[in-house]
């Protein structure tokens, strides 16, 4: 039962992060420019981390960290590959959200910030839940 409750929390956080990430891309006129430039990628990596936690709930947190970094970096480096077939996927809204459009080394830093921040939040949340029991 505890795993089911934890999975529900992770799913809620996962979708909340998606909403925040999309909002950071859409609401560029009403949020600070720093947020609109950087937070979309930070939230994207956070979403990847929490997606890993949903799927790998019984694994150590660091497994999700490693897989999130591997996945995020793989997606970013895949943007160096510019074949017509994958660019046609990237030209769709969903394709651009998942695969990105062009390689930016600063995105790797943003991904690390999102994953580390998510890990720290997760670690303290788990510690807090354990203290209650």
């Amino acid at each position: 039962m505890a795993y089911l409750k934890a999975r529900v929390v992770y799913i809620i956080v996962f979708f909340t992060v998606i909403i925040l990430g999309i909002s950071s891309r859409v609401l560029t006129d009403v949020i600070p420019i720093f947020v609109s430039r950087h937070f979309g990628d930070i939230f994207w990596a956070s979403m990847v981390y929490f997606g890993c936690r949903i799927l790998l709930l019984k694994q150590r947190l660091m497994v999700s960290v490693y897989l999130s970094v591997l996945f995020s970096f793989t997606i970013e480096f895949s943007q160096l590959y510019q074949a017509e077939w994958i660019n046609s996927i990237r030209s769709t809204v969903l394709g651009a959200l998942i695969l990105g459009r062009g390689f930016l080394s600063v995105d790797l830093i943003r991904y690390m910030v999102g994953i580390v921040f998510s890990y720290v939040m997760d670690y303290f949340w788990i510690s807090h839940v354990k203290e209650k029991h």
Side-chain angles (χ1 to χ4, degrees), residues 42-57:
I42 291 170
F43 286 130
W44 185 89
S46 180
M47 175 208 61
V48 171
Y49 173 83
F50 287 113
C52 286
R53 293 300 299 144
I54 291 166
L55 298 174
L56 305 170
L57 190 58

Side-chain angles (χ1 to χ4, degrees), residues 88-133:
S88 67
I89 295 171
R90 289 180 181 128
S91 69
T92 66
V93 172
L94 187 58
L97 288 172
I98 296 170
L99 300 175
R101 292 209 171 126
F103 178 83
L104 292 172
S105 57
V106 71
D107 285 351
L108 302 174
I109 297 167
R110 294 171 183 149
Y111 297 155
M112 290 304 299
V113 169
I115 292 165
V116 168
F117 182 76
S118 298
Y119 164 78
V120 169
M121 283 185 10
D122 197 10
Y123 176 83
F124 284 111
W125 174 68
I126 289 172
S127 298
H128 177 73
V129 169
K130 285 182 180 177
E131 283 179 11
K132 283 187 159 184
H133 291 105

Side-chain angles (χ1 to χ4, degrees), residues 12 15-16 30 35-37 39 45 49-50 60 69 77 80 84 92 95 98-100 103 109 113 130 133:
I12 291 167
F15 283 107
T16 301
V30 294
V35 173
S36 68
R37 282 193 181 155
F39 278 48
Y49 173 83
F50 287 113
R60 292 183 13 232
V69 170
F77 281 105
L80 294 169
E84 189 175 325
T92 66
I98 296 170
L99 300 175
F103 178 83
I109 297 167
V113 169
K130 285 182 180 177
H133 291 105

Side-chain angles (χ1 to χ4, degrees), residues 37-88:
R37 282 193 181 155
H38 301 288
F39 278 48
D41 292 316
I42 291 170
F43 286 130
W44 185 89
S46 180
M47 175 208 61
V48 171
Y49 173 83
F50 287 113
C52 286
R53 293 300 299 144
I54 291 166
L55 298 174
L56 305 170
L57 190 58
K58 295 181 181 182
Q59 299 295 319
R60 292 183 13 232
L61 297 179
M62 288 308 293
V63 172
S64 292
V65 169
Y66 296 139
L67 290 175
S68 299
V69 170
L70 179 65
F71 181 81
S72 299
F73 278 42
T74 299
I75 292 293
E76 190 63 31
F77 281 105
S78 78
Q79 294 170 21
L80 294 169
Y81 180 68
Q82 295 292 317
E84 189 175 325
W85 70 270
I86 198 162
N87 285 340
S88 67

